[in-house]
Amino acid sequence: MYNLAFFLGELELDSQRKVLSGAAEAARADGNNIVVYALTLSPDDKYNDGESASMLYDDFSSYDGFIIYAESIYSEKIRNVVMNKIREQHKPSASIDFTIDGMINVSSDNEGAMRILSRHLLDKHHVKTANFIGGPEDSVDAVTRKRVF
């Protein structure tokens, strides 16, 4: 049995809850424990400073591995604190939808999916005008989807 730490932000969003639910289900099925760090972010940088500072004092040595859904942690400062703390442990680590040196990366194919969707709208429905809504401007996924669109 392994003890895993899972880090994500904005748990109230459906996509984050679904990713966490899948990870928790897989951990249970394999007989592992998963501890969730649901990071609450705020437009107020003072709040984020407190959130990131609290992470500096957490002892991660009791975990056997780490999963970080970095794309869901919108504060770069908090994301960097978590990534550095994970790296310090020198234990198996995985990142979801965000490339981090030294970690396994599990990502969705936003480029291929957006290309197929755009081609479908053009070829099958003969759409001449379309609008793009893509999420946070600094989101790696949103930037990729917008570029392909």
Side-chain angles (χ1 to χ4, degrees), residues 7 24 37 45 47 50 55 62 67 74 79-80 84-85 88 91 94 96-97 103 109 117 121 123 129-130 139-140 142:
F7 301 86
Y37 287 80
D45 281 336
Y47 183 88
M55 296 300 294
S62 63
I67 302 168
Y74 301 133
R79 185 172 52 233
N80 286 334
N84 290 334
K85 289 276 295 190
E88 290 171 3
K91 294 181 180 177
I96 299 172
D97 281 341
M103 293 187 193
D109 181 12
L117 174 63
L121 291 172
D123 294 346
T129 303
S139 162
V140 173

Side-chain angles (χ1 to χ4, degrees), residues 28-139:
R28 268 193 311 274
D30 290 339
N32 298 314
N33 296 318
I34 191 164
V35 175
V36 178
Y37 287 80
L39 304 168
T40 303
L41 309 175
S42 168
D44 182 352
D45 281 336
K46 290 179 184 176
Y47 183 88
N48 290 336
D49 287 346
E51 183 91 355
S52 61
S54 71
M55 296 300 294
L56 294 173
Y57 300 104
D58 280 359
D59 179 12
F60 290 178
S61 64
S62 63
Y63 299 115
D64 300 302
F66 304 91
I67 302 168
I68 179 172
Y69 188 1
E71 179 66 10
S72 74
I73 303 171
Y74 301 133
S75 167
E76 184 176 359
K77 181 176 186 170
I78 294 173
R79 185 172 52 233
N80 286 334
V81 167
V82 172
M83 290 186 314
N84 290 334
K85 289 276 295 190
I86 290 171
R87 283 188 189 114
E88 290 171 3
Q89 299 304 308
H90 303 287
K91 294 181 180 177
S93 305
S95 173
I96 299 172
D97 281 341
F98 197 89
T99 301
I100 301 172
D101 289 338
M103 293 187 193
I104 295 169
N105 180 271
V106 179
S107 294
S108 49
D109 181 12
N110 284 291
E111 188 168 330
M114 184 55 77
R115 184 168 282 110
I116 290 168
L117 174 63
S118 298
R119 185 61 39 209
H120 174 81
L121 291 172
L122 291 168
D123 294 346
K124 299 288 183 189
H125 300 284
H126 310 290
V127 170
K128 302 280 187 231
T129 303
N131 295 309
F132 178 81
I133 300 171
E137 289 183 22
D138 61 345
S139 162

Side-chain angles (χ1 to χ4, degrees), residues 8-17 38-41 74:
L8 78 163
E10 307 301 329
L11 189 55
E12 69 275 5
L13 296 177
D14 188 55
S15 58
Q16 274 83 313
R17 281 195 317 274
L39 304 168
T40 303
L41 309 175
Y74 301 133

